[in-house]
Amino acid sequence: MERIVPYVAMKNNFDILIIGAGVVGAAIARELSRYRLRIAIIEKEEDVSFGTSKANSGIVRVQ
């Protein structure tokens, strides 16, 4: 399913564009949110963490 971005949103300027809303992309956005930056995240899937991040069992193992 293709999402259509409203024209108003396309006119905005962003300081940072993050491609991918998985674990890494979301973590980067969270860290950068500490600063006065306009951040946008784009994701090709239907929801965030839909790809590899979704398939992860969520277990963190200490070695």
Side-chain angles (χ1 to χ4, degrees):
M1 176 199 301
E2 184 176 328
R3 289 188 183 186
I4 299 173
V5 178
Y7 179 71
V8 175
M10 292 179 6
K11 291 172 59 175
N12 291 332
N13 292 321
F14 299 101
D15 298 313
I16 304 289
L17 174 64
I18 300 170
I19 301 172
V23 173
V24 175
I28 291 169
R30 182 181 181 278
E31 288 297 314
L32 291 175
S33 71
R34 298 178 182 190
Y35 307 98
R36 291 185 170 226
L37 298 170
R38 291 168 295 184
I39 303 167
I41 302 177
I42 58 172
E43 173 61 45
K44 70 175 182 172
E45 300 296 343
E46 297 176 10
D47 201 359
V48 298
S49 298
F50 196 77
T52 304
S53 297
K54 182 179 180 181
N56 186 349
S57 64
I59 298 172
V60 177
R61 297 182 183 159
V62 179
Q63 303 246 350

